[in-house]
Amino acid sequence: MIVIKGARVHNLKNIDLELPRNRLIVFTGVSGSGKSSLAFDTIYAEGQRRYVESLSAYARQFLERMDKPDVDLIQGISPAVAIEQKTNTRNPRSTVGTSTEIYDYLRLLFGRVGITKCHRCGQIVQKDSVRTAIDRLQREVLEGEKVYILFPFPADSNRTFKQKLSDLQSKGYFRLLVGNDIVDLNEQSLSKPPKEKHFVLVDRLVFHAEDQLPEGSRSRIADSLETAFRDGAGYATIYLVAQGKMLHFSQQFECATCGIKYEEPEPRLFSFNNPYGACPKCQGFGRSVGIDMNLVVPDVSRSIASGAIQPWNFPRFRENLHALLDIAPEAGVRVDVPFRDLTREELDVVMNGYRYFDGINGFFRMIEKKAYKVQYRVFLSRYRGYTTCDLCGGSRLRREALNVYVGGRNIHDIVRMSVDGAKEFFDALVLEPMQEEIARQILLEIRRRLKYLVDVGLGYLTLDRLSNTLSGGETQRINLATALGSSLVGALYVLDEPSVGLHPRDNNKLIAILKSLRDVGNTVIVVEHDADMIKASDIVVDLGPGAGEHGGEVVAVGTVDSIIKHPRSLTGKYLSGEKQIPVPLLKGSLTAARRSGNGDAIFIRGASEHNLKNIDVRIPLHMFVCVTGVSGSGKSTLVHEVLYAGLKKQLRSIARDSDYPRIRTSEDAFSVGRHQAIEGVHLIDDVELVDQSPIGRTPRSNPVTYIGAFDDIRALFASTQQAKIRGYTPGTFSFNVPGGRCDACEGEGYQLVEMQFMADLYLVCEACKGTRYKADVLEIQYQGKNIHDVLNMSVSEAIEFFRLTRRGKRAAEKLQVLEDVGLGYIRLGQPATTLSGGEAQRVKLAAHLAEKKRGLHKLFIFDEPTTGLHFDDVSKLLRCFNNLIEAGNSILVIEHNMDVIKSADWIIDLGPEGGDGGGWIVAEGTPEEVAQNERSYTGKFLKRYLAASL
């Protein structure tokens, strides 16, 4: 039993709780009710702290140091593992394969059983021995055929030909094979090396079956081969006289036919994080600085004749375009078709040249030679960017590593596969008996980890996908799969909304995995709002009843049935159906009210980035549009990489008519996903992506500064009579600039004391006592409160406080939008770094709601805005969406939450599967129309939700 007594972290109100071990326990409740404070900041923090404290002082200084949570007693806690949504790494070397340890096992597999093939002739490269030479001889020689056993004539450049002959004769060698003829040195003297390739003859014999190498003995062939290897510096050759065929053997690791030496496979050869294995050009990153064709040809819908190649539109370089147009008929290059329609052969001419035309590559080589002049350096900077490394082809590895194969694939072939494809490959992989014995345990680990990734719904990811490009939900599920692979028992797992980014179709797989963690002897605590997850749990802990100051209490604990019956449980009311998020209905009808828009729409033509299948997409404006589909179906690619990036690039486009263009800025370098065209951009004034990234990276940033309300609050204090007498301005009440802030802590309110191997101490500033301001500034009061008192108010309290006066109404109006999005519980001065991803997203939404720019039409894009939201908070979010649309804007949302999807005006459902099986439009239309589509997984779940709502 896990016993918690007197937990007071953040807003927890001295709660006591007893939880059984080895159970699946769900913490739920409205946003801000204290779920994360209890699960992560109390239970996980104490479990992690106890584990770290058990280590030596030397080891502790390298590990995360946890503060002791504010709790009287915690008993029965196990070593804890936290699996959060945060994308923990920004390391460009980290991939799905490395973070799940699959790549480590791949390196070991290729290093131990990999087969090296010559890149020139394709022959297997191996170290030969007498045994392997005889085995090959038995396979290729004919019965009774004459064979010569030879070794290459010595190639010592420090000795003359006559000296070499003399040495050979002293060892008893008197015959050379020159071409197909034998030269007897006793009968014929040679003064200079023959023009033909020549070998030293060791033995001549007629091969018979009885000449096989018997076990435990040595035959004449074996003796002769051993002599040839010894005197031939590790090289031997067998000449099959009747066939006129040479069989070359080498005890070096090199191609016996081509003589090319290769590195012997070992695990470090396949590591792009090790200088030994990393590509020497890109240093293991897979990308290097080069000419970015997206910048050279920014608009692929234009033809060569109409100026598709942008640098050749400048007068001083236009001669290159004229040269291309001159040779185009002869070279077979069409100059009047869109650049994207050129064939591979045509592109080869454009890139590499033809006759006197140097091509794009030749043009930029010429520019690079003149880079000692500043104008050419400026010109080059405009078209340079990170492109796939041309030496390693993006594999990140030395070329030698790519010559090693397992099952006919090199390691780059495998990491480019999706997890689903890699699982199929390894399930079907058959090795030689000895290789199978060596690789048995390695393959077991690889297959098990791939299975876990498929089970958590990530089969569409490729193993070389960068970790820093994953969503929070994908990162968490990868960490979950890694935890499953480690096979821990007796541990405490704490997860933060693992269902984020997961389609309802795949929920059962995730629930089964969490139950399997529980069944092997672990305690699993999940902070979750998903109804299916809650219903599948053993114990539910419902926190609340409200948020912030109104939360922090345990409303109910028990089974799902007991939670549903509990009169105070808001979660129970939604689970039972007593409360629900309704679909707006037409007056006097049971038909859902859907906006039809005014006919305006943005059209995406030919979207083909990643797994998108050259699709055309219509996005209606002045409506609430939802993009849905299973994980990996192409939603983020379509919305983020094609639509958002494409719109942003067009809206920010700047006329380039200078002969010497300015240095490229980040705005010019928008990386846009492949598509043919985006139409209807003129119908919107701007596009905003409202994601869950932090609103600030320092504790100085807070919600009221972000929405602009703090400016009004500081102005109110500066307008008081006492402030005017002292000459205070609004800037005096800012803790971000010198003046009124405390000089000792520079407005932080605390001072940091580093404790090396112990947790760092944050001590309240002795000068200001944590208020952030100088004492004389705190003497200024507005309606009986100083600036520190106001910053300590919750949003709800501050609204009531400022509404009391006429001058404070403006600040109250700005704060009201925070209340509208369900953030009435946060404090005005709460550091932005303490906000969750969902809270940060709603602060951004509030900032947009607070804007008074009437007449502007913005397209707002939200990526899973329901992350971290309780059922009750989702209904508030939907009201905010309606307010944005009524103000003349459009909304596009990527979402899996069925309560949001059923409330949309229009749905675009992608799929039908993830990865290569996705990228198509499965269904589009109103929720009712999509629900009738039998091919749509979203439609199947939507039908049930609509039936319950209408």
Side-chain angles (χ1 to χ4, degrees), residues 254-290:
E254 65 182 22
C255 177
T257 303
C258 305
I260 302 172
K261 290 189 176 181
Y262 289 89
E263 296 285 348
E264 291 191 57
E266 54 179 306
R268 66 174 181 158
L269 178 64
F270 304 96
S271 173
F272 47 77
N273 292 320
N274 188 317
Y276 183 79
C279 168
K281 181 173 183 179
C282 65
Q283 306 298 316
F285 287 97
R287 306 183 76 198
S288 57
V289 175

mmCIF file of all heavy atoms in Angstrom, residues 254-290:
data_model
loop_
_atom_site.group_PDB
_atom_site.id
_atom_site.type_symbol
_atom_site.label_atom_id
_atom_site.label_comp_id
_atom_site.label_asym_id
_atom_site.label_seq_id
_atom_site.Cartn_x
_atom_site.Cartn_y
_atom_site.Cartn_z
ATOM 1 N N GLU A 254 39.766 -8.051 -47.546
ATOM 2 C CA GLU A 254 39.668 -7.292 -48.785
ATOM 3 C C GLU A 254 39.024 -8.153 -49.849
ATOM 4 O O GLU A 254 38.892 -9.370 -49.700
ATOM 5 C CB GLU A 254 41.047 -6.839 -49.239
ATOM 6 C CG GLU A 254 41.974 -7.975 -49.626
ATOM 7 C CD GLU A 254 43.356 -7.497 -50.039
ATOM 8 O OE1 GLU A 254 43.737 -6.392 -49.641
ATOM 9 O OE2 GLU A 254 44.038 -8.234 -50.762
ATOM 10 N N CYS A 255 38.583 -7.478 -50.908
ATOM 11 C CA CYS A 255 37.986 -8.209 -52.020
ATOM 12 C C CYS A 255 39.091 -8.953 -52.768
ATOM 13 O O CYS A 255 40.036 -8.327 -53.265
ATOM 14 C CB CYS A 255 37.266 -7.245 -52.958
ATOM 15 S SG CYS A 255 36.567 -8.055 -54.419
ATOM 16 N N ALA A 256 38.972 -10.274 -52.827
ATOM 17 C CA ALA A 256 40.007 -11.069 -53.469
ATOM 18 C C ALA A 256 40.089 -10.785 -54.964
ATOM 19 O O ALA A 256 41.145 -10.949 -55.586
ATOM 20 C CB ALA A 256 39.737 -12.552 -53.230
ATOM 21 N N THR A 257 38.991 -10.329 -55.562
ATOM 22 C CA THR A 257 38.971 -10.056 -57.002
ATOM 23 C C THR A 257 39.504 -8.663 -57.318
ATOM 24 O O THR A 257 40.342 -8.492 -58.202
ATOM 25 C CB THR A 257 37.537 -10.193 -57.546
ATOM 26 O OG1 THR A 257 37.045 -11.504 -57.255
ATOM 27 C CG2 THR A 257 37.501 -9.964 -59.050
ATOM 28 N N CYS A 258 39.010 -7.658 -56.601
ATOM 29 C CA CYS A 258 39.358 -6.264 -56.899
ATOM 30 C C CYS A 258 40.552 -5.764 -56.099
ATOM 31 O O CYS A 258 41.148 -4.745 -56.459
ATOM 32 C CB CYS A 258 38.167 -5.345 -56.642
ATOM 33 S SG CYS A 258 36.674 -5.813 -57.532
ATOM 34 N N GLY A 259 40.865 -6.437 -55.005
ATOM 35 C CA GLY A 259 41.978 -6.004 -54.175
ATOM 36 C C GLY A 259 41.664 -4.798 -53.311
ATOM 37 O O GLY A 259 42.567 -4.184 -52.736
ATOM 38 N N ILE A 260 40.377 -4.412 -53.208
ATOM 39 C CA ILE A 260 39.989 -3.257 -52.388
ATOM 40 C C ILE A 260 39.888 -3.691 -50.921
ATOM 41 O O ILE A 260 39.205 -4.665 -50.601
ATOM 42 C CB ILE A 260 38.642 -2.675 -52.849
ATOM 43 C CG1 ILE A 260 38.716 -2.265 -54.313
ATOM 44 C CG2 ILE A 260 38.236 -1.496 -51.977
ATOM 45 C CD1 ILE A 260 37.381 -1.856 -54.889
ATOM 46 N N LYS A 261 40.598 -2.994 -50.047
ATOM 47 C CA LYS A 261 40.568 -3.338 -48.631
ATOM 48 C C LYS A 261 39.349 -2.705 -47.961
ATOM 49 O O LYS A 261 38.956 -1.587 -48.286
ATOM 50 C CB LYS A 261 41.849 -2.871 -47.935
ATOM 51 C CG LYS A 261 43.074 -3.667 -48.337
ATOM 52 C CD LYS A 261 44.276 -3.311 -47.468
ATOM 53 C CE LYS A 261 45.471 -4.198 -47.832
ATOM 54 N NZ LYS A 261 46.656 -3.909 -47.001
ATOM 55 N N TYR A 262 38.771 -3.434 -47.019
ATOM 56 C CA TYR A 262 37.590 -2.962 -46.288
ATOM 57 C C TYR A 262 37.846 -3.049 -44.788
ATOM 58 O O TYR A 262 38.712 -3.815 -44.337
ATOM 59 C CB TYR A 262 36.363 -3.813 -46.650
ATOM 60 C CG TYR A 262 35.860 -3.577 -48.055
ATOM 61 C CD1 TYR A 262 36.368 -4.312 -49.119
ATOM 62 C CD2 TYR A 262 34.901 -2.613 -48.309
ATOM 63 C CE1 TYR A 262 35.916 -4.099 -50.415
ATOM 64 C CE2 TYR A 262 34.441 -2.391 -49.608
ATOM 65 C CZ TYR A 262 34.962 -3.132 -50.648
ATOM 66 O OH TYR A 262 34.518 -2.896 -51.918
ATOM 67 N N GLU A 263 37.072 -2.245 -44.050
ATOM 68 C CA GLU A 263 37.132 -2.318 -42.597
ATOM 69 C C GLU A 263 36.368 -3.548 -42.136
ATOM 70 O O GLU A 263 35.272 -3.839 -42.630
ATOM 71 C CB GLU A 263 36.495 -1.068 -41.968
ATOM 72 C CG GLU A 263 37.210 0.233 -42.285
ATOM 73 C CD GLU A 263 38.497 0.384 -41.509
ATOM 74 O OE1 GLU A 263 38.699 -0.411 -40.561
ATOM 75 O OE2 GLU A 263 39.296 1.276 -41.848
ATOM 76 N N GLU A 264 36.949 -4.263 -41.174
ATOM 77 C CA GLU A 264 36.230 -5.407 -40.614
ATOM 78 C C GLU A 264 35.041 -4.898 -39.802
ATOM 79 O O GLU A 264 35.188 -3.965 -39.011
ATOM 80 C CB GLU A 264 37.150 -6.247 -39.730
ATOM 81 C CG GLU A 264 38.215 -6.980 -40.510
ATOM 82 C CD GLU A 264 38.927 -8.014 -39.651
ATOM 83 O OE1 GLU A 264 38.237 -8.898 -39.100
ATOM 84 O OE2 GLU A 264 40.163 -7.926 -39.541
ATOM 85 N N PRO A 265 33.859 -5.485 -39.993
ATOM 86 C CA PRO A 265 32.675 -5.008 -39.257
ATOM 87 C C PRO A 265 32.859 -5.131 -37.745
ATOM 88 O O PRO A 265 33.285 -6.175 -37.253
ATOM 89 C CB PRO A 265 31.550 -5.934 -39.747
ATOM 90 C CG PRO A 265 32.030 -6.465 -41.049
ATOM 91 C CD PRO A 265 33.518 -6.583 -40.913
ATOM 92 N N GLU A 266 32.575 -4.055 -37.054
ATOM 93 C CA GLU A 266 32.530 -4.045 -35.598
ATOM 94 C C GLU A 266 31.514 -2.986 -35.202
ATOM 95 O O GLU A 266 31.238 -2.056 -35.969
ATOM 96 C CB GLU A 266 33.899 -3.763 -34.992
ATOM 97 C CG GLU A 266 34.567 -2.485 -35.498
ATOM 98 C CD GLU A 266 35.914 -2.263 -34.817
ATOM 99 O OE1 GLU A 266 35.938 -2.266 -33.572
ATOM 100 O OE2 GLU A 266 36.916 -2.106 -35.533
ATOM 101 N N PRO A 267 30.900 -3.085 -34.023
ATOM 102 C CA PRO A 267 29.792 -2.180 -33.674
ATOM 103 C C PRO A 267 30.090 -0.701 -33.839
ATOM 104 O O PRO A 267 29.237 0.060 -34.296
ATOM 105 C CB PRO A 267 29.513 -2.540 -32.211
ATOM 106 C CG PRO A 267 29.897 -3.982 -32.107
ATOM 107 C CD PRO A 267 31.086 -4.141 -33.011
ATOM 108 N N ARG A 268 31.305 -0.259 -33.524
ATOM 109 C CA ARG A 268 31.578 1.185 -33.614
ATOM 110 C C ARG A 268 31.599 1.694 -35.051
ATOM 111 O O ARG A 268 31.447 2.889 -35.293
ATOM 112 C CB ARG A 268 32.893 1.514 -32.911
ATOM 113 C CG ARG A 268 34.125 0.920 -33.571
ATOM 114 C CD ARG A 268 35.382 1.412 -32.894
ATOM 115 N NE ARG A 268 36.569 0.860 -33.536
ATOM 116 C CZ ARG A 268 37.778 1.405 -33.449
ATOM 117 N NH1 ARG A 268 37.953 2.509 -32.738
ATOM 118 N NH2 ARG A 268 38.809 0.848 -34.049
ATOM 119 N N LEU A 269 31.806 0.785 -36.035
ATOM 120 C CA LEU A 269 31.774 1.201 -37.436
ATOM 121 C C LEU A 269 30.391 1.704 -37.832
ATOM 122 O O LEU A 269 30.248 2.505 -38.752
ATOM 123 C CB LEU A 269 32.182 0.022 -38.335
ATOM 124 C CG LEU A 269 32.155 0.255 -39.853
ATOM 125 C CD1 LEU A 269 33.181 1.323 -40.246
ATOM 126 C CD2 LEU A 269 32.426 -1.029 -40.609
ATOM 127 N N PHE A 270 29.346 1.271 -37.115
ATOM 128 C CA PHE A 270 27.966 1.616 -37.471
ATOM 129 C C PHE A 270 27.389 2.704 -36.555
ATOM 130 O O PHE A 270 26.196 2.943 -36.558
ATOM 131 C CB PHE A 270 27.094 0.364 -37.411
ATOM 132 C CG PHE A 270 27.602 -0.743 -38.273
ATOM 133 C CD1 PHE A 270 28.401 -1.751 -37.743
ATOM 134 C CD2 PHE A 270 27.344 -0.760 -39.627
ATOM 135 C CE1 PHE A 270 28.899 -2.759 -38.539
ATOM 136 C CE2 PHE A 270 27.842 -1.761 -40.440
ATOM 137 C CZ PHE A 270 28.627 -2.762 -39.904
ATOM 138 N N SER A 271 28.252 3.352 -35.782
ATOM 139 C CA SER A 271 27.794 4.414 -34.888
ATOM 140 C C SER A 271 28.096 5.776 -35.496
ATOM 141 O O SER A 271 29.253 6.105 -35.756
ATOM 142 C CB SER A 271 28.487 4.303 -33.520
ATOM 143 O OG SER A 271 28.174 5.420 -32.719
ATOM 144 N N PHE A 272 27.058 6.583 -35.741
ATOM 145 C CA PHE A 272 27.277 7.930 -36.256
ATOM 146 C C PHE A 272 27.597 8.906 -35.136
ATOM 147 O O PHE A 272 27.844 10.085 -35.378
ATOM 148 C CB PHE A 272 26.074 8.421 -37.073
ATOM 149 C CG PHE A 272 24.738 8.194 -36.428
ATOM 150 C CD1 PHE A 272 24.291 9.005 -35.396
ATOM 151 C CD2 PHE A 272 23.913 7.170 -36.866
ATOM 152 C CE1 PHE A 272 23.054 8.808 -34.816
ATOM 153 C CE2 PHE A 272 22.675 6.957 -36.291
ATOM 154 C CZ PHE A 272 22.241 7.785 -35.252
ATOM 155 N N ASN A 273 27.585 8.430 -33.889
ATOM 156 C CA ASN A 273 28.001 9.264 -32.759
ATOM 157 C C ASN A 273 29.472 9.037 -32.410
ATOM 158 O O ASN A 273 29.977 9.629 -31.460
ATOM 159 C CB ASN A 273 27.137 8.969 -31.530
ATOM 160 C CG ASN A 273 25.712 9.434 -31.717
ATOM 161 O OD1 ASN A 273 25.479 10.496 -32.280
ATOM 162 N ND2 ASN A 273 24.751 8.658 -31.261
ATOM 163 N N ASN A 274 30.139 8.164 -33.150
ATOM 164 C CA ASN A 274 31.541 7.841 -32.929
ATOM 165 C C ASN A 274 32.336 8.307 -34.145
ATOM 166 O O ASN A 274 31.971 8.001 -35.271
ATOM 167 C CB ASN A 274 31.678 6.318 -32.741
ATOM 168 C CG ASN A 274 33.073 5.908 -32.313
ATOM 169 O OD1 ASN A 274 34.068 6.398 -32.831
ATOM 170 N ND2 ASN A 274 33.148 5.002 -31.355
ATOM 171 N N PRO A 275 33.434 9.047 -33.946
ATOM 172 C CA PRO A 275 34.216 9.526 -35.095
ATOM 173 C C PRO A 275 34.682 8.394 -36.012
ATOM 174 O O PRO A 275 34.893 8.607 -37.206
ATOM 175 C CB PRO A 275 35.423 10.221 -34.445
ATOM 176 C CG PRO A 275 34.956 10.586 -33.075
ATOM 177 C CD PRO A 275 33.989 9.524 -32.662
ATOM 178 N N TYR A 276 34.817 7.189 -35.476
ATOM 179 C CA TYR A 276 35.271 6.058 -36.277
ATOM 180 C C TYR A 276 34.236 5.678 -37.333
ATOM 181 O O TYR A 276 34.581 5.298 -38.449
ATOM 182 C CB TYR A 276 35.549 4.856 -35.363
ATOM 183 C CG TYR A 276 36.096 3.644 -36.073
ATOM 184 C CD1 TYR A 276 37.442 3.571 -36.428
ATOM 185 C CD2 TYR A 276 35.284 2.561 -36.389
ATOM 186 C CE1 TYR A 276 37.959 2.473 -37.086
ATOM 187 C CE2 TYR A 276 35.785 1.449 -37.047
ATOM 188 C CZ TYR A 276 37.130 1.411 -37.393
ATOM 189 O OH TYR A 276 37.622 0.320 -38.042
ATOM 190 N N GLY A 277 32.947 5.782 -36.988
ATOM 191 C CA GLY A 277 31.901 5.358 -37.907
ATOM 192 C C GLY A 277 31.185 6.480 -38.625
ATOM 193 O O GLY A 277 30.518 6.255 -39.635
ATOM 194 N N ALA A 278 31.311 7.708 -38.117
ATOM 195 C CA ALA A 278 30.546 8.828 -38.674
ATOM 196 C C ALA A 278 31.086 9.253 -40.030
ATOM 197 O O ALA A 278 32.287 9.163 -40.308
ATOM 198 C CB ALA A 278 30.578 10.009 -37.707
ATOM 199 N N CYS A 279 30.189 9.721 -40.873
ATOM 200 C CA CYS A 279 30.568 10.254 -42.191
ATOM 201 C C CYS A 279 31.533 11.434 -41.986
ATOM 202 O O CYS A 279 31.251 12.339 -41.197
ATOM 203 C CB CYS A 279 29.312 10.731 -42.933
ATOM 204 S SG CYS A 279 29.653 11.726 -44.406
ATOM 205 N N PRO A 280 32.681 11.436 -42.671
ATOM 206 C CA PRO A 280 33.658 12.508 -42.446
ATOM 207 C C PRO A 280 33.184 13.892 -42.899
ATOM 208 O O PRO A 280 33.696 14.893 -42.415
ATOM 209 C CB PRO A 280 34.874 12.047 -43.262
ATOM 210 C CG PRO A 280 34.330 11.093 -44.277
ATOM 211 C CD PRO A 280 33.156 10.429 -43.629
ATOM 212 N N LYS A 281 32.209 13.946 -43.800
ATOM 213 C CA LYS A 281 31.768 15.256 -44.294
ATOM 214 C C LYS A 281 30.733 15.893 -43.370
ATOM 215 O O LYS A 281 30.858 17.046 -42.991
ATOM 216 C CB LYS A 281 31.195 15.125 -45.713
ATOM 217 C CG LYS A 281 30.750 16.463 -46.287
ATOM 218 C CD LYS A 281 30.351 16.364 -47.750
ATOM 219 C CE LYS A 281 29.971 17.736 -48.308
ATOM 220 N NZ LYS A 281 29.594 17.678 -49.733
ATOM 221 N N CYS A 282 29.688 15.117 -43.013
ATOM 222 C CA CYS A 282 28.611 15.699 -42.195
ATOM 223 C C CYS A 282 28.785 15.408 -40.713
ATOM 224 O O CYS A 282 27.937 15.815 -39.904
ATOM 225 C CB CYS A 282 27.252 15.194 -42.667
ATOM 226 S SG CYS A 282 27.003 13.413 -42.440
ATOM 227 N N GLN A 283 29.850 14.689 -40.340
ATOM 228 C CA GLN A 283 30.143 14.368 -38.943
ATOM 229 C C GLN A 283 29.021 13.596 -38.255
ATOM 230 O O GLN A 283 28.818 13.719 -37.054
ATOM 231 C CB GLN A 283 30.439 15.662 -38.147
ATOM 232 C CG GLN A 283 31.518 16.531 -38.752
ATOM 233 C CD GLN A 283 32.872 15.827 -38.807
ATOM 234 O OE1 GLN A 283 33.284 15.194 -37.861
ATOM 235 N NE2 GLN A 283 33.539 15.928 -39.945
ATOM 236 N N GLY A 284 28.279 12.827 -39.038
ATOM 237 C CA GLY A 284 27.248 11.988 -38.437
ATOM 238 C C GLY A 284 25.897 12.647 -38.280
ATOM 239 O O GLY A 284 25.002 12.072 -37.659
ATOM 240 N N PHE A 285 25.710 13.837 -38.865
ATOM 241 C CA PHE A 285 24.415 14.515 -38.772
ATOM 242 C C PHE A 285 23.498 14.172 -39.936
ATOM 243 O O PHE A 285 22.293 14.365 -39.859
ATOM 244 C CB PHE A 285 24.599 16.031 -38.699
ATOM 245 C CG PHE A 285 25.121 16.524 -37.384
ATOM 246 C CD1 PHE A 285 26.467 16.779 -37.219
ATOM 247 C CD2 PHE A 285 24.274 16.698 -36.306
ATOM 248 C CE1 PHE A 285 26.960 17.222 -36.007
ATOM 249 C CE2 PHE A 285 24.760 17.140 -35.085
ATOM 250 C CZ PHE A 285 26.107 17.397 -34.937
ATOM 251 N N GLY A 286 24.055 13.687 -41.041
ATOM 252 C CA GLY A 286 23.243 13.331 -42.200
ATOM 253 C C GLY A 286 22.924 14.503 -43.109
ATOM 254 O O GLY A 286 22.406 14.327 -44.203
ATOM 255 N N ARG A 287 23.237 15.709 -42.628
ATOM 256 C CA ARG A 287 22.993 16.905 -43.432
ATOM 257 C C ARG A 287 24.236 17.780 -43.388
ATOM 258 O O ARG A 287 24.940 17.838 -42.388
ATOM 259 C CB ARG A 287 21.790 17.695 -42.914
ATOM 260 C CG ARG A 287 20.525 16.870 -42.799
ATOM 261 C CD ARG A 287 19.362 17.725 -42.358
ATOM 262 N NE ARG A 287 18.863 18.542 -43.455
ATOM 263 C CZ ARG A 287 18.092 19.611 -43.288
ATOM 264 N NH1 ARG A 287 17.752 19.993 -42.075
ATOM 265 N NH2 ARG A 287 17.651 20.295 -44.315
ATOM 266 N N SER A 288 24.516 18.453 -44.467
ATOM 267 C CA SER A 288 25.660 19.348 -44.522
ATOM 268 C C SER A 288 25.257 20.617 -45.267
ATOM 269 O O SER A 288 24.242 20.648 -45.974
ATOM 270 C CB SER A 288 26.847 18.670 -45.212
ATOM 271 O OG SER A 288 26.477 18.246 -46.514
ATOM 272 N N VAL A 289 26.043 21.648 -45.084
ATOM 273 C CA VAL A 289 25.740 22.915 -45.739
ATOM 274 C C VAL A 289 26.014 22.785 -47.236
ATOM 275 O O VAL A 289 27.093 22.355 -47.652
ATOM 276 C CB VAL A 289 26.587 24.054 -45.144
ATOM 277 C CG1 VAL A 289 26.346 25.348 -45.916
ATOM 278 C CG2 VAL A 289 26.255 24.249 -43.676
ATOM 279 N N GLY A 290 25.034 23.100 -48.024
ATOM 280 C CA GLY A 290 25.174 23.022 -49.475
ATOM 281 C C GLY A 290 24.144 23.913 -50.141
ATOM 282 O O GLY A 290 23.505 24.755 -49.489
#
